[in-house]
């Protein structure tokens, strides 16, 4: 017989998931889990000592993700993403196939250097701009839009710091960043490359062979001049001297610049170098025991100071654009999941899974990867990976098996979750952006693609993880 706390917790959990997916009246995604967490705390199902444990678990991950988001906002303000869109089209040289692979690469790199949700927010408008400027038909737009979204979301698996849930789960199982990359980078990259290639085969008849070679030359194009900020005096002098779109933009990695051009390529180049340096420093710091959030927070601080020094621009735009609600969202969703742990849900799952998972590395990889795939597509991957990781922690497995099962857990939640749009928040954000831009894509159209592509990519990823573990051990 279920007691009232169990009934209340399960009810709050499922209502939180429903409203998180539904988001009636366009409410912020932090509101449903916050309301659910408040009910859980008032009911006493999660104690104040539990709240302190939760804070210790999620605070570092949230700081790291928010720092990455702030860096992306600074880069956006100096014209990096507009230049990226322009550069992708130019490099395609009139080939729709080449454009497909450049967009895929762009989406992968955006997630690798930032995070999956931020990548979706950044790359989806860029891709929509590109396919609109190229005047592609709807069936020709889909290969770029769907492939870009799937690759951007799946690409949070290789290095661990590109996904909030991955960071939190890594903290729970006690796996450091460098060990994660050694174990996960190769198998997840094989999976991502497989998904990209399968998507290409699936869409090969819809990808146009020829596209306009330089649509950005049009004066009506939103990509016509990919700008970065420069000093106000220089801009005023430049504007007086000539029309803005008269001179073609310079490549930001080339030495020198036109003094009349208001594009501060020094700021542009230096900002890119800083982002790369900070990303590498996360691993260097982790190897000597420096918390990754300490390194991560240095990135936006340096970029903000650099932008202010070169342009005089302060932090007002960052205050308004940074999604501070992420703090509340991550904390609240973990409170709800922790309540499931407190009522015995994790114990129930441990009793039914431990014997199977502990049999061998193969069982751990395949079993847990498939379990998280099913859970993520039914319940969303963020609460699923948190719950799945807590279950693993409760199993008292051998450290080696624990970490392998955790990595399969991540593959299931990062890659396997892409079968349905509700599997990840990034997918839901992507669908919302498409609707906002009047691009009609139903769930069935999406699933028609993913039900073929993702299970193959998932199996390849999990098998690669198993074989890679065998090789390096």
């Amino acid at each position: 017989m279920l007691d009232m706390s169990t009934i209340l917790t399960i009810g709050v959990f499922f209502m939180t998931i429903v409203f998180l997916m539904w988001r009636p009246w366009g409410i912020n995604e932090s509101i449903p889990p916050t309301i659910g967490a408040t009910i859980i705390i008032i009911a006493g199902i999660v104690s104040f000592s539990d709240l302190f444990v939760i804070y210790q678990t999620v605070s570092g991950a949230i700081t790291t993700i928010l720092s990455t988001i702030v860096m992306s906002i600074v880069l956006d303000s100096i014209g990096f993403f507009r230049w990226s869109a322009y550069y992708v089209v130019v490099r395609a040289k009139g080939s729709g196939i080449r454009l497909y692979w450049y967009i895929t690469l762009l989406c992968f790199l955006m997630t690798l250097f930032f995070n999956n949700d931020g990548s979706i927010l950044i790359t989806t408008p860029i891709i929509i701009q590109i396919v609109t400027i190229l005047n592609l038909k709807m069936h020709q737009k889909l290969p770029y839009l769907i492939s870009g979204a799937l690759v951007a979301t799946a690409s949070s698996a290789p290095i661990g710091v590109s996904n909030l849930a991955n960071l939190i789960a890594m903290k729970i199982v006690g796996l450091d960043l460098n060990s994660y990359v050694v174990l996960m980078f190769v198998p997840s990259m094989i999976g991502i490359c497989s998904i990209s290639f399968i998507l290409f085969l699936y869409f090969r008849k819809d990808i146009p062979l020829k596209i306009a070679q330089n649509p950005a030359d049009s004066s009506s194009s939103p990509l016509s001049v990919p700008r970065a900020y420069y000093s106000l005096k220089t801009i005023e002098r430049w504007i007086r001297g000539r029309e803005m779109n008269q001179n073609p933009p310079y490549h930001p990695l080339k030495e020198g610049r036109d003094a009349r051009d208001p594009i501060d390529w020094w700021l542009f180049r230096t900002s890119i170098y800083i982002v790369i340096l900070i990303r590498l420093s996360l691993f260097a710091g982790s190897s000597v025991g420096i918390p990754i959030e300490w390194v991560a927070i240095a990135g936006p601080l340096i970029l903000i100071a650099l932008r202010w020094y070169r342009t005089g621009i302060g932090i007002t735009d960052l205050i308004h654009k940074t999604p501070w609600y992420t703090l509340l969202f991550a904390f609240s969703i973990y409170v709800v999941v922790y309540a499931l742990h407190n009522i015995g849900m994790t114990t129930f799952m441990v009793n039914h899974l431990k014997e199977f998972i502990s049999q061998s590395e193969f069982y751990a990889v395949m079993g847990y990867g498939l379990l998280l795939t099913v859970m993520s597509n039914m319940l969303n991957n963020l609460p699923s990976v948190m719950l799945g990781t807590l279950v693993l922690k409760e199993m008292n497995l051998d450290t080696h098996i624990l970490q392998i099962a955790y990595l399969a857990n991540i593959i299931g939640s990062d890659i396997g979750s892409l079968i349905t749009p509700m599997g990840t928040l990034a997918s839901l954000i992507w669908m919302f952006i498409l609707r906002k831009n009047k691009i009609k894509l139903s769930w069935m159209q999406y699933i028609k693609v993913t039900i073929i592509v993702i299970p193959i990519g998932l199996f390849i990823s999990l098998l690669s993880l198993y074989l890679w573990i065998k090789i390096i051990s």
Side-chain angles (χ1 to χ4, degrees), residues 241-414:
R242 53 186 246 190
E243 290 296 323
M244 275 189 168
N245 61 355
Q246 190 175 356
N247 216 27
Y250 289 83
H251 191 296
L253 302 182
K254 292 170 64 176
E255 291 293 328
R257 63 178 179 82
D258 188 331
R260 299 169 298 171
D261 199 325
I263 303 175
D264 188 346
W265 291 127
W266 183 91
L267 174 61
F268 198 111
R269 293 194 306 269
T270 306
S271 298
I272 295 172
Y273 298 150
I274 288 171
V275 170
I276 295 172
L277 179 62
I278 291 297
R279 215 56 166 175
L280 295 175
S281 298
L282 294 175
F283 303 97
S286 179
S287 65
V288 295
I290 300 175
I292 58 175
E293 61 269 23
W294 293 9
V295 179
I297 203 170
L301 292 178
I302 295 171
L303 287 181
I304 291 168
L306 186 67
R307 188 182 69 165
W308 175 81
Y309 172 73
R310 296 289 291 189
T311 69
I313 296 173
I315 61 172
T316 303
D317 61 327
L318 303 176
I319 293 173
H320 290 302
K321 293 180 179 179
T322 301
W324 302 108
Y325 60 83
T326 305
L327 295 160
L328 192 59
F329 172 80
F331 183 82
S332 298
I333 199 73
Y334 196 45
V335 168
V336 175
V337 170
Y338 206 84
L340 291 175
H341 166 69
N342 283 352
I343 65 169
M345 179 65 74
T346 53
T347 302
F348 173 81
M349 294 179 70
V350 166
N351 292 337
H352 287 79
L353 293 172
K354 183 176 180 179
E355 184 178 351
F356 180 83
I357 296 298
S358 59
Q359 288 185 55
S360 69
E361 294 173 348
F362 184 81
Y363 281 85
V365 168
M366 293 298 174
Y368 227 74
L370 293 175
L371 173 65
L372 262 292
T373 295
V374 174
M375 288 176 60
S376 296
N377 282 287
M378 291 178 61
L379 305 173
N380 187 264
N381 68 340
L382 184 56
S384 296
V385 75
M386 290 178 174
L387 181 60
T389 307
L390 285 173
V391 171
L392 280 176
K393 192 69 173 176
E394 290 291 308
M395 286 185 184
N396 295 317
L397 298 168
D398 170 81
T399 302
H400 181 63
I401 294 292
L402 170 66
Q403 293 181 349
I404 290 172
Y406 159 71
L407 296 173
N409 176 39
I410 294 301
I411 289 177
S413 65
D414 286 3

Side-chain angles (χ1 to χ4, degrees), residues 186-226:
V186 171
S188 59
M189 284 302 301
I190 292 172
I192 292 166
C193 291
S194 300
I195 289 172
S196 302
F197 184 69
I198 297 167
L199 283 166
F200 174 73
L201 294 178
Y202 183 93
F203 285 120
R204 67 188 184 279
K205 294 181 180 179
D206 295 320
I207 298 175
L209 294 177
K210 297 292 183 182
I211 58 173
Q213 288 204 34
N214 197 6
D217 285 343
S218 169
S219 60
S220 62
S221 168
L223 303 179
S224 54
V225 181

Side-chain angles (χ1 to χ4, degrees), residues 78-116:
I78 63 174
F80 174 73
F81 301 119
R82 183 176 292 271
W83 170 82
S84 298
Y86 173 85
Y87 193 66
V88 161
V89 176
V90 171
R91 292 292 296 177
K93 297 180 180 178
S95 169
I97 294 174
R98 194 178 287 116
L99 178 65
Y100 171 87
W101 290 112
Y102 271 116
I103 285 179
T104 300
L105 179 62
L106 174 68
C107 294
F108 167 74
L109 292 175
M110 290 298 180
T111 300
L112 197 70
F113 283 99
F114 301 103
N115 61 75
N116 60 337

